[in-house]
Amino acid sequence: MPVLSWDSKTTPQPVSASLQLDAKVFPQGSGYPHEAPENQLILGDNLAVMSALLPDYEEKIELIYADPPFFTNRRYPARVGRDEDSRKPEQWQLADGYPDHWENIEAYLNMLYPRLQLMHRLLAPQGTLYLHLDWHADHYARLLLDEIFSPDRLLNEIIWVYHGPSPIRTAFNRKHDTILVYTKSKEYTFNVDAVREPYNPSTVKTFSSSPKAGFGKVPDLERGKVPEDWWYFPVVARLHSERTGYPTQKPEALLERIILASSNPGDLVADFFCGSGTTSLVAAKLERRFIAADLSWRAIHTARTRHVIGSPVPFNLLVESGLTIQRSSAQPEDVHQKENLLTIDPHLQPELDYWELDPDWDEKVFCSAMQAVRPKKKGTIAGELNLPQPTKGKKIALRLVKIDGEQIQYSRTG
Ligand SMILES: C[S@@+](CC[C@H](N)C(=O)[O-])C[C@H]1O[C@@H](n2cnc3c(N)ncnc32)[C@H](O)[C@@H]1O
């Protein structure tokens, strides 16, 4: 079988790594304090993250969606602050998103190859990997996946087509991505009825007037058809309601089709290049469990905020050991408590992106029982949160995140 080789290719080995629990997050108090979150959002390099997960999760993940950097040799900034209206630049600013910058193709392959190997090990026997790339590197990746999974395990090459502006004048506009789908074994989950779609109205009309149009095969027009291997979904453009400001965010509809087809409720769905958290959010909405990881703090913060607004499912926030989230201490006069109401000083509100509250801080693991998030369009972030329980004599803690990413922690005895 032909395999891809390059000078610095080596047999990948898992690295030695561990994860630390930074917080348990109960979106809007849901499940607090008794539920033990089953879902994981992890800050870290996914080589270390997947290696650390191996002892507990080898062959345990039913679906992995991977949307890594595409080898574009660009840097993608995030837009933070309110809105992204180009006519109102005072309302947002640019921040670090993620780099897709490589010395050469070898460096890129040295990143991708060991990670695909780990994903293969983590996949359950009936599991499926969807690897999302485009023309820059999909041809190399397909050879790598043939080597790791075997060419027989290629289930589909999905083409995702979309529209959008393009500066290109010397070639056709490049408006599709490629999603390579490999299954771990011959027995795999594929819920065909969950992803059927209506037949084209012209097909319905043809068969209604002439049932013989299909040479004896009459489609079940009511049930709908199995989608082709090319999909049209609009991209998440600037003013799209799903838009988070995190670069190269994928549409929820795309992930919905993938998750419905290749997993069942209760299954574990993972995305180790999770960016803004599209996969984990859709997985939670569809009652799957999730693991999502990214090495960019901005990505993890965006995903966490998105979950807090969009899904009541609790999750753990973990950090690769060795990475620390820097937090400064708040001034005591910035926080006020009156019975069950906790208030932050109004001067903080315009600068804040997110703040959360642990009403029973054990000085070890932060349990985020309530959260306030800056509204996307109009209005300011809530300046007060209700304590869900009496806190007399207990320690309470607050964590605040400013728009520029600065983090602040505060604790006091209630
Ligand atoms: C194409 S974006 C993913 C976008 C995501 N699908 C979404 O809908 O928002 C790729 C992501 O991979 C992350 N990434 C790149 N290298 C990584 C690594 N070694 N470990 C973890 N994450 C990584 C980047 O920080 C970036 O957020």
Side-chain angles (χ1 to χ4, degrees):
M1 186 184 94
V3 286
L4 185 66
S5 58
W6 61 97
D7 282 351
S8 49
K9 184 178 185 184
T10 51
T11 307
Q13 300 295 339
V15 297
S16 146
S18 60
L19 304 173
Q20 271 177 350
L21 185 57
D22 179 70
K24 294 180 187 178
V25 184
F26 300 89
Q28 307 307 328
S30 167
Y32 176 84
H34 302 297
E35 215 173 301
E38 286 186 285
N39 305 292
Q40 329 290 345
L41 182 60
I42 310 170
L43 173 65
D45 184 328
N46 52 21
L47 191 67
V49 169
M50 287 191 276
S51 302
L53 292 174
L54 265 182
D56 289 335
Y57 289 93
E58 183 148 24
E59 301 227 308
K60 292 283 181 356
I61 301 180
E62 276 85 10
L63 168 62
I64 300 181
Y65 169 78
D67 178 22
F70 284 10
F71 191 60
T72 59
N73 278 319
R74 289 175 54 189
R75 290 177 201 283
Y76 294 95
R79 285 192 176 197
V80 298
R82 163 153 321 119
D83 218 337
E84 290 187 72
D85 192 335
S86 299
R87 291 162 301 183
K88 299 177 193 158
E90 68 286 354
Q91 296 200 349
W92 50 265
Q93 61 204 63
L94 292 179
D96 280 348
Y98 70 92
D100 182 3
H101 221 269
W102 310 91
E103 207 179 316
N104 49 36
I105 186 66
E106 287 205 11
Y108 180 78
L109 295 173
N110 286 334
M111 179 280 289
L112 196 60
Y113 184 51
R115 289 166 174 81
L116 294 177
Q117 292 264 10
L118 281 167
M119 288 180 202
H120 181 257
R121 287 184 65 177
L122 289 165
L123 269 184
Q126 74 283 17
T128 310
L129 168 70
Y130 286 69
L131 176 64
H132 189 145
L133 289 170
D134 73 2
W135 61 274
H136 290 91
D138 61 354
H139 51 313
Y140 296 121
R142 182 152 167 193
L143 287 173
L144 295 182
L145 291 172
D146 278 353
E147 178 190 328
I148 298 167
F149 283 73
S150 126
D152 304 342
R153 299 278 64 83
L154 173 71
L155 184 68
N156 273 123
E157 183 189 51
I158 306 284
I159 303 298
W160 171 37
V161 292
Y162 44 82
H163 292 109
S166 168
I168 292 184
R169 296 288 173 271
T170 52
F172 293 108
N173 270 341
R174 299 187 179 105
K175 291 295 164 199
H176 79 268
D177 292 359
T178 303
I179 305 175
L180 299 169
V181 188
Y182 279 74
T183 61
K184 180 101 174 232
S185 70
K186 280 188 194 155
E187 307 292 323
Y188 56 89
T189 301
F190 191 76
N191 300 315
V192 68
D193 289 335
V195 290
R196 284 181 187 275
E197 56 181 11
Y199 278 96
N200 194 303
S202 66
T203 312
V204 176
K205 212 167 144 199
T206 309
F207 277 97
S208 312
S209 57
S210 165
K212 289 187 181 154
F215 302 103
K217 281 192 181 166
V218 183
D220 187 336
L221 297 173
E222 288 283 293
R223 199 165 58 144
K225 65 170 181 171
V226 181
E228 289 81 8
D229 59 0
W230 52 269
W231 301 351
Y232 175 79
F233 293 110
V235 289
V236 183
R238 289 266 153 82
L239 301 176
H240 195 290
S241 63
E242 286 174 24
R243 178 83 183 154
T244 62
Y246 195 78
T248 69
Q249 178 185 339
K250 300 303 178 294
E252 289 183 28
L254 177 83
L255 270 304
E256 210 169 273
R257 179 171 286 175
I258 292 172
I259 292 171
L260 285 172
S262 296
S263 70
N264 294 307
D267 280 358
L268 187 53
V269 174
D271 181 344
F272 297 104
F273 294 93
C274 75
S276 65
T278 313
T279 309
S280 54
L281 181 70
V282 177
K285 286 184 184 172
L286 295 174
E287 297 178 2
R288 275 68 171 169
R289 294 170 297 132
F290 66 81
I291 300 178
D294 202 289
L295 54 62
S296 141
W297 176 82
R298 177 68 61 188
I300 295 301
H301 172 60
T302 307
R304 169 208 14 213
T305 308
R306 224 171 151 193
H307 272 272
V308 159
I309 303 169
S311 145
V313 178
F315 57 93
N316 292 317
L317 186 65
L318 298 137
V319 180
E320 176 193 339
S321 297
L323 294 182
T324 40
I325 299 179
Q326 297 291 342
R327 294 191 178 96
S328 58
S329 302
Q331 301 300 320
E333 61 271 21
D334 284 345
V335 183
H336 316 278
Q337 184 179 354
K338 204 167 176 201
E339 292 171 6
N340 266 13
L341 203 63
L342 205 83
T343 318
I344 49 164
D345 207 82
H347 82 267
L348 279 172
Q349 273 171 273
E351 297 171 45
L352 284 188
D353 200 42
Y354 176 96
W355 65 287
E356 59 189 346
L357 159 69
D358 180 344
D360 192 6
W361 169 229
D362 65 2
E363 304 204 30
K364 289 189 205 101
V365 177
F366 188 91
C367 287
S368 171
M370 293 309 293
Q371 309 82 21
V373 174
R374 190 174 40 76
K376 250 186 178 174
K377 300 262 174 207
K378 290 199 181 84
T380 37
I381 190 167
E384 52 190 41
L385 285 175
N386 269 311
L387 290 159
Q389 60 198 32
T391 56
K392 207 162 175 28
K394 289 182 180 166
K395 263 207 156 161
I396 56 168
L398 265 66
R399 284 182 175 177
L400 294 78
V401 181
K402 289 191 178 176
I403 290 167
D404 63 9
E406 186 190 338
Q407 306 218 21
I408 305 168
Q409 178 152 330
Y410 170 89
S411 65
R412 58 175 273 175
T413 304

Coordinates of all heavy atoms in Angstrom, one line a residue, residues 222-292:
E222 N -42.4 10.4 1.2 CA -42.7 10.9 2.6 C -41.5 10.9 3.5 O -41.2 11.8 4.3 CB -43.8 10.0 3.2 CG -45.2 10.1 2.7 CD -45.8 11.4 3.2 OE1 -46.1 11.4 4.4 OE2 -46.1 12.3 2.4
R223 N -40.8 9.7 3.4 CA -39.7 9.5 4.3 C -38.5 10.4 4.0 O -37.7 10.7 4.9 CB -39.2 8.0 4.2 CG -38.4 7.5 5.3 CD -38.4 6.0 5.3 NE -37.8 5.5 4.0 CZ -37.0 4.4 3.9 NH1 -36.8 3.8 5.0 NH2 -36.6 4.0 2.8
G224 N -38.3 10.9 2.8 CA -37.2 11.7 2.4 C -36.1 10.9 1.9 O -36.0 9.7 2.0
K225 N -35.0 11.7 1.4 CA -33.9 11.0 0.8 C -32.7 11.0 1.7 O -32.5 11.8 2.6 CB -33.6 11.6 -0.6 CG -33.1 13.0 -0.4 CD -32.6 13.5 -1.7 CE -32.0 14.9 -1.6 NZ -31.3 15.5 -2.7
V226 N -31.8 10.1 1.4 CA -30.5 10.1 2.1 C -29.6 11.2 1.4 O -29.5 11.2 0.2 CB -29.8 8.7 1.9 CG1 -28.4 8.7 2.6 CG2 -30.6 7.6 2.3
P227 N -29.1 12.1 2.2 CA -28.3 13.2 1.6 C -27.1 12.7 0.8 O -26.6 11.7 1.1 CB -27.8 14.0 2.8 CG -28.7 13.6 3.9 CD -29.1 12.2 3.7
E228 N -26.8 13.5 -0.3 CA -25.6 13.1 -1.1 C -24.4 13.4 -0.2 O -24.4 13.9 0.9 CB -25.6 14.1 -2.3 CG -26.6 13.7 -3.4 CD -28.0 14.4 -3.0 OE1 -28.1 15.2 -2.1 OE2 -29.0 14.0 -3.7
D229 N -23.2 13.1 -0.8 CA -21.9 13.4 -0.1 C -21.4 14.8 -0.4 O -20.3 15.1 -0.1 CB -20.9 12.3 -0.5 CG -20.6 12.3 -2.0 OD1 -21.2 13.1 -2.7 OD2 -19.7 11.5 -2.4
W230 N -22.2 15.7 -1.0 CA -21.9 17.1 -1.0 C -23.0 17.8 -0.3 O -24.2 17.5 -0.4 CB -21.7 17.6 -2.5 CG -22.9 17.2 -3.3 CD1 -23.0 16.1 -4.1 CD2 -24.1 18.0 -3.5 NE1 -24.2 16.1 -4.8 CE2 -24.9 17.2 -4.4 CE3 -24.6 19.2 -3.0 CZ2 -26.2 17.7 -4.8 CZ3 -25.8 19.6 -3.4 CH2 -26.6 18.9 -4.3
W231 N -22.6 18.8 0.6 CA -23.6 19.4 1.4 C -23.5 20.9 1.3 O -22.4 21.5 1.2 CB -23.3 19.1 2.9 CG -23.3 17.7 3.3 CD1 -23.7 16.6 2.5 CD2 -22.8 17.1 4.5 NE1 -23.5 15.4 3.2 CE2 -23.0 15.7 4.5 CE3 -22.3 17.7 5.7 CZ2 -22.7 14.9 5.5 CZ3 -22.0 16.8 6.8 CH2 -22.2 15.4 6.7
Y232 N -24.6 21.6 1.2 CA -24.6 23.0 1.3 C -25.1 23.5 2.6 O -26.2 23.2 3.0 CB -25.5 23.6 0.1 CG -25.5 25.1 0.3 CD1 -24.5 25.9 -0.2 CD2 -26.6 25.8 1.0 CE1 -24.5 27.3 0.0 CE2 -26.6 27.2 1.2 CZ -25.5 27.9 0.7 OH -25.5 29.3 0.9
F233 N -24.3 24.2 3.3 CA -24.7 25.0 4.5 C -24.1 26.3 4.4 O -22.9 26.4 4.1 CB -24.3 24.3 5.8 CG -24.9 22.9 6.1 CD1 -24.1 21.8 6.0 CD2 -26.2 22.8 6.4 CE1 -24.7 20.5 6.2 CE2 -26.8 21.6 6.7 CZ -26.0 20.5 6.6
P234 N -24.8 27.4 4.8 CA -24.2 28.7 4.7 C -23.1 28.8 5.8 O -23.2 28.2 6.9 CB -25.3 29.7 5.0 CG -26.6 28.9 5.0 CD -26.2 27.5 5.1
V235 N -22.0 29.6 5.5 CA -21.0 29.8 6.5 C -21.5 30.7 7.6 O -22.5 31.4 7.4 CB -19.7 30.4 5.9 CG1 -18.9 29.4 5.0 CG2 -20.0 31.7 5.1
V236 N -20.8 30.7 8.7 CA -21.2 31.6 9.8 C -20.6 33.0 9.5 O -19.4 33.3 9.9 CB -20.7 31.1 11.2 CG1 -21.1 32.0 12.3 CG2 -21.2 29.7 11.4
A237 N -21.3 33.8 8.8 CA -20.8 35.1 8.3 C -20.9 36.1 9.5 O -21.5 35.8 10.5 CB -21.6 35.6 7.1
R238 N -20.3 37.3 9.2 CA -20.1 38.3 10.3 C -21.4 38.5 11.1 O -21.3 38.6 12.3 CB -19.7 39.6 9.7 CG -18.3 39.6 9.2 CD -17.3 40.1 10.3 NE -16.0 39.6 10.2 CZ -15.1 40.0 9.3 NH1 -15.3 41.1 8.5 NH2 -13.9 39.4 9.2
L239 N -22.5 38.7 10.5 CA -23.7 39.1 11.2 C -24.7 38.0 11.5 O -25.8 38.2 11.9 CB -24.4 40.3 10.6 CG -23.4 41.6 10.4 CD1 -24.1 42.7 9.7 CD2 -22.9 42.1 11.8
H240 N -24.2 36.8 11.3 CA -25.0 35.6 11.5 C -25.3 35.5 13.0 O -24.5 35.8 13.8 CB -24.1 34.4 11.1 CG -24.8 33.1 10.9 ND1 -25.3 32.4 11.9 CD2 -25.1 32.4 9.8 CE1 -25.9 31.3 11.5 NE2 -25.7 31.3 10.2
S241 N -26.5 35.0 13.4 CA -26.9 34.9 14.8 C -26.0 34.0 15.6 O -25.9 34.2 16.8 CB -28.3 34.6 14.9 OG -28.5 33.3 14.4
E242 N -25.4 33.0 15.0 CA -24.5 32.0 15.7 C -23.2 32.6 16.0 O -22.4 32.1 16.8 CB -24.3 30.7 14.9 CG -25.5 29.8 14.9 CD -25.3 28.6 13.9 OE1 -24.1 28.3 13.7 OE2 -26.3 28.1 13.5
R243 N -22.8 33.7 15.3 CA -21.4 34.2 15.3 C -20.9 34.5 16.7 O -21.5 35.2 17.4 CB -21.4 35.4 14.4 CG -20.1 36.0 14.2 CD -19.2 35.4 13.2 NE -17.9 36.1 13.2 CZ -16.8 35.5 12.8 NH1 -16.8 34.3 12.4 NH2 -15.7 36.2 12.9
T244 N -19.7 34.0 17.0 CA -19.1 34.3 18.3 C -18.0 35.3 18.2 O -17.5 35.8 19.2 CB -18.5 33.0 18.9 OG1 -17.5 32.6 18.0 CG2 -19.5 32.0 19.1
G245 N -17.4 35.5 17.0 CA -16.3 36.3 16.8 C -15.0 35.5 16.7 O -13.9 36.0 16.4
Y246 N -15.1 34.2 17.1 CA -13.9 33.3 17.0 C -13.7 33.0 15.5 O -14.7 32.7 14.8 CB -14.1 32.1 17.9 CG -12.8 31.4 18.1 CD1 -11.9 31.8 19.0 CD2 -12.4 30.3 17.3 CE1 -10.6 31.2 19.1 CE2 -11.2 29.6 17.4 CZ -10.3 30.1 18.4 OH -9.1 29.5 18.5
P247 N -12.5 33.0 15.0 CA -12.3 32.8 13.6 C -12.6 31.3 13.2 O -12.5 30.4 13.9 CB -10.8 33.1 13.4 CG -10.2 32.9 14.7 CD -11.2 33.3 15.7
T248 N -13.0 31.2 11.9 CA -13.3 30.0 11.2 C -14.3 29.1 11.9 O -14.2 27.8 11.9 CB -12.0 29.2 10.9 OG1 -11.4 28.7 12.0 CG2 -11.0 30.0 10.1
Q249 N -15.3 29.7 12.6 CA -16.3 29.0 13.3 C -17.2 28.3 12.3 O -17.6 28.8 11.3 CB -17.2 30.1 14.1 CG -18.3 29.5 14.8 CD -19.2 30.6 15.4 OE1 -18.7 31.7 15.6 NE2 -20.4 30.2 15.7
K250 N -17.5 27.0 12.6 CA -18.3 26.2 11.7 C -19.8 26.3 12.1 O -20.2 26.5 13.2 CB -17.9 24.8 11.7 CG -16.4 24.6 11.3 CD -16.1 25.1 9.9 CE -14.7 25.0 9.5 NZ -13.7 25.8 10.3
P251 N -20.7 26.1 11.1 CA -22.2 26.3 11.4 C -22.7 25.1 12.2 O -22.3 23.9 12.0 CB -22.8 26.3 10.0 CG -21.8 25.9 9.0 CD -20.4 26.0 9.6
E252 N -23.6 25.4 13.1 CA -24.2 24.3 13.9 C -24.9 23.3 13.0 O -24.9 22.1 13.3 CB -25.2 24.9 14.9 CG -24.5 25.7 16.0 CD -25.5 26.2 17.0 OE1 -26.6 25.6 17.3 OE2 -25.2 27.3 17.7
A253 N -25.5 23.7 11.9 CA -26.2 22.7 11.0 C -25.3 21.6 10.5 O -25.7 20.5 10.4 CB -26.9 23.5 9.9
L254 N -24.0 22.0 10.2 CA -23.1 21.0 9.7 C -22.8 20.0 10.8 O -22.8 18.8 10.5 CB -21.8 21.8 9.3 CG -20.6 20.9 8.9 CD1 -20.8 20.6 7.4 CD2 -19.3 21.7 9.1
L255 N -22.6 20.4 12.0 CA -22.3 19.5 13.1 C -23.5 18.7 13.5 O -23.4 17.5 13.9 CB -21.7 20.3 14.3 CG -20.2 20.5 14.3 CD1 -19.5 19.1 14.3 CD2 -19.7 21.3 13.2
E256 N -24.7 19.3 13.3 CA -25.9 18.6 13.7 C -26.0 17.3 12.8 O -26.3 16.2 13.2 CB -27.1 19.5 13.4 CG -28.2 19.3 14.3 CD -29.2 20.4 14.1 OE1 -29.1 21.4 14.9 OE2 -30.1 20.3 13.3
R257 N -25.8 17.5 11.5 CA -25.9 16.4 10.6 C -24.9 15.3 10.9 O -25.2 14.1 11.0 CB -25.7 16.8 9.1 CG -25.8 15.7 8.2 CD -25.8 16.1 6.7 NE -27.1 16.7 6.3 CZ -27.4 17.2 5.1 NH1 -26.4 17.2 4.2 NH2 -28.5 17.7 4.9
I258 N -23.7 15.7 11.2 CA -22.6 14.7 11.5 C -22.9 14.0 12.8 O -22.8 12.7 12.9 CB -21.2 15.5 11.7 CG1 -20.8 16.0 10.3 CG2 -20.2 14.6 12.3 CD1 -19.6 16.9 10.4
I259 N -23.4 14.7 13.8 CA -23.6 14.1 15.1 C -24.9 13.2 15.1 O -24.9 12.1 15.6 CB -23.8 15.2 16.2 CG1 -22.4 15.8 16.4 CG2 -24.3 14.6 17.5 CD1 -22.4 17.1 17.3
L260 N -25.9 13.6 14.4 CA -27.1 12.8 14.2 C -26.8 11.5 13.5 O -27.3 10.4 13.9 CB -28.2 13.5 13.5 CG -28.9 14.6 14.3 CD1 -29.9 15.4 13.4 CD2 -29.7 14.0 15.5
A261 N -26.0 11.6 12.4 CA -25.7 10.4 11.6 C -24.8 9.4 12.4 O -25.0 8.2 12.3 CB -25.0 10.8 10.3
S262 N -23.8 9.9 13.1 CA -22.7 9.0 13.6 C -22.7 8.8 15.1 O -21.6 8.4 15.6 CB -21.4 9.5 13.0 OG -21.4 9.4 11.6
S263 N -23.7 9.2 15.8 CA -23.7 8.9 17.2 C -25.2 8.8 17.7 O -26.1 9.2 17.0 CB -23.0 10.0 18.0 OG -23.8 11.2 18.0
N264 N -25.3 8.3 18.9 CA -26.7 8.1 19.5 C -26.7 8.9 20.8 O -25.7 9.2 21.4 CB -26.9 6.6 19.8 CG -27.0 5.8 18.5 OD1 -27.8 6.1 17.6 ND2 -26.2 4.8 18.4
P265 N -27.9 9.2 21.3 CA -28.0 9.9 22.5 C -27.2 9.2 23.6 O -27.3 7.9 23.7 CB -29.5 10.0 22.8 CG -30.2 9.9 21.5 CD -29.3 9.0 20.6
G266 N -26.5 9.9 24.4 CA -25.7 9.3 25.5 C -24.3 8.9 25.1 O -23.4 8.7 25.9
D267 N -24.0 8.9 23.7 CA -22.7 8.6 23.2 C -21.7 9.7 23.6 O -22.2 10.9 23.8 CB -22.7 8.4 21.7 CG -23.2 7.0 21.3 OD1 -23.4 6.2 22.2 OD2 -23.3 6.8 20.1
L268 N -20.5 9.4 23.5 CA -19.4 10.4 23.7 C -18.9 11.0 22.4 O -18.4 10.2 21.6 CB -18.3 9.8 24.5 CG -17.2 10.7 25.1 CD1 -17.7 11.8 25.9 CD2 -16.2 9.8 26.0
V269 N -19.0 12.3 22.3 CA -18.5 13.0 21.1 C -17.4 13.9 21.5 O -17.4 14.6 22.4 CB -19.7 13.9 20.5 CG1 -19.3 14.7 19.4 CG2 -20.9 13.0 20.1
A270 N -16.3 13.9 20.7 CA -15.1 14.7 21.0 C -14.7 15.6 19.9 O -14.8 15.2 18.7 CB -14.0 13.8 21.4
D271 N -14.1 16.7 20.3 CA -13.5 17.6 19.3 C -12.3 18.2 20.0 O -12.4 19.0 20.9 CB -14.5 18.7 19.0 CG -14.0 19.7 17.9 OD1 -12.8 19.7 17.7 OD2 -14.8 20.5 17.4
F272 N -11.1 17.8 19.5 CA -9.8 18.2 20.1 C -9.2 19.4 19.5 O -8.2 19.8 19.9 CB -8.9 17.0 20.1 CG -9.4 15.8 20.9 CD1 -9.9 14.7 20.2 CD2 -9.4 15.9 22.3 CE1 -10.3 13.6 21.0 CE2 -9.8 14.8 23.0 CZ -10.3 13.7 22.4
F273 N -9.9 20.0 18.5 CA -9.6 21.3 17.9 C -10.8 22.2 18.0 O -11.3 22.6 17.0 CB -9.1 21.2 16.5 CG -7.9 20.4 16.2 CD1 -7.9 19.1 15.9 CD2 -6.6 21.1 16.2 CE1 -6.7 18.3 15.7 CE2 -5.4 20.4 15.9 CZ -5.5 19.0 15.7
C274 N -11.4 22.4 19.2 CA -12.8 22.8 19.3 C -13.1 24.2 19.0 O -14.2 24.6 18.8 CB -13.3 22.4 20.7 SG -12.7 23.5 22.0
G275 N -12.1 25.1 19.0 CA -12.3 26.5 18.6 C -13.5 27.1 19.5 O -13.4 27.0 20.7
S276 N -14.5 27.6 18.9 CA -15.6 28.3 19.6 C -16.5 27.3 20.2 O -17.5 27.7 20.9 CB -16.3 29.2 18.6 OG -17.0 28.4 17.7
G277 N -16.3 26.0 20.1 CA -17.2 25.0 20.8 C -18.4 24.6 20.0 O -19.4 24.1 20.6
T278 N -18.4 24.7 18.7 CA -19.6 24.3 17.9 C -20.0 22.9 18.2 O -21.2 22.5 18.5 CB -19.4 24.6 16.4 OG1 -18.8 25.8 16.3 CG2 -20.7 24.5 15.6
T279 N -19.0 22.0 18.1 CA -19.3 20.5 18.2 C -19.9 20.2 19.6 O -20.9 19.5 19.7 CB -18.0 19.7 18.0 OG1 -17.4 20.1 16.8 CG2 -18.3 18.2 18.0
S280 N -19.2 20.7 20.7 CA -19.7 20.3 22.0 C -21.1 20.9 22.3 O -21.9 20.3 22.9 CB -18.7 20.8 23.1 OG -18.4 22.1 22.9
L281 N -21.3 22.1 21.8 CA -22.7 22.7 22.0 C -23.7 21.9 21.3 O -24.8 21.6 21.9 CB -22.7 24.2 21.5 CG -24.0 24.9 21.8 CD1 -24.2 25.2 23.3 CD2 -24.0 26.2 21.0
V282 N -23.5 21.5 20.1 CA -24.5 20.8 19.4 C -24.7 19.4 20.0 O -25.8 18.9 20.1 CB -24.2 20.7 17.8 CG1 -25.2 19.8 17.1 CG2 -24.1 22.1 17.2
A283 N -23.6 18.8 20.4 CA -23.6 17.5 21.1 C -24.5 17.6 22.3 O -25.4 16.7 22.6 CB -22.2 17.0 21.4
A284 N -24.3 18.6 23.1 CA -25.1 18.8 24.4 C -26.5 19.0 24.0 O -27.4 18.3 24.7 CB -24.5 20.0 25.2
K285 N -26.8 19.8 23.0 CA -28.2 20.0 22.6 C -28.9 18.7 22.2 O -30.1 18.5 22.3 CB -28.3 21.0 21.5 CG -28.1 22.4 22.0 CD -28.3 23.4 20.8 CE -27.9 24.8 21.1 NZ -28.0 25.7 19.9
L286 N -28.1 17.8 21.6 CA -28.6 16.5 21.1 C -28.5 15.4 22.1 O -28.5 14.2 21.7 CB -27.9 16.2 19.7 CG -28.2 17.1 18.6 CD1 -27.4 16.7 17.3 CD2 -29.7 17.1 18.2
E287 N -28.2 15.8 23.3 CA -28.1 14.8 24.4 C -27.0 13.8 24.3 O -27.1 12.6 24.7 CB -29.5 14.1 24.6 CG -30.5 15.1 25.0 CD -31.9 14.6 25.2 OE1 -32.1 13.3 25.1 OE2 -32.8 15.4 25.5
R288 N -25.9 14.2 23.7 CA -24.7 13.4 23.7 C -23.8 14.0 24.8 O -23.9 15.1 25.2 CB -23.9 13.5 22.4 CG -24.4 12.6 21.3 CD -25.8 12.9 20.7 NE -26.1 12.1 19.5 CZ -27.3 12.0 19.0 NH1 -28.3 12.6 19.6 NH2 -27.5 11.3 17.9
R289 N -22.8 13.1 25.3 CA -21.8 13.7 26.2 C -20.7 14.2 25.3 O -20.6 13.9 24.2 CB -21.3 12.5 27.1 CG -22.3 12.0 28.1 CD -21.9 10.7 28.8 NE -21.6 9.7 27.8 CZ -20.6 8.9 27.8 NH1 -19.6 9.0 28.6 NH2 -20.5 7.9 26.9
F290 N -19.9 15.1 25.9 CA -18.8 15.7 25.1 C -17.5 15.9 25.8 O -17.4 16.0 27.0 CB -19.3 17.0 24.5 CG -19.5 18.1 25.5 CD1 -18.4 18.9 26.0 CD2 -20.7 18.4 26.0 CE1 -18.6 19.9 26.9 CE2 -20.9 19.5 26.9 CZ -19.9 20.2 27.4
I291 N -16.4 15.8 25.0 CA -15.1 16.3 25.4 C -14.7 17.3 24.3 O -14.7 17.0 23.1 CB -14.0 15.1 25.4 CG1 -14.5 14.0 26.4 CG2 -12.7 15.7 25.7 CD1 -13.5 12.8 26.4
A292 N -14.2 18.5 24.7 CA -13.8 19.5 23.8 C -12.5 20.1 24.3 O -12.4 20.3 25.5 CB -14.8 20.5 23.6

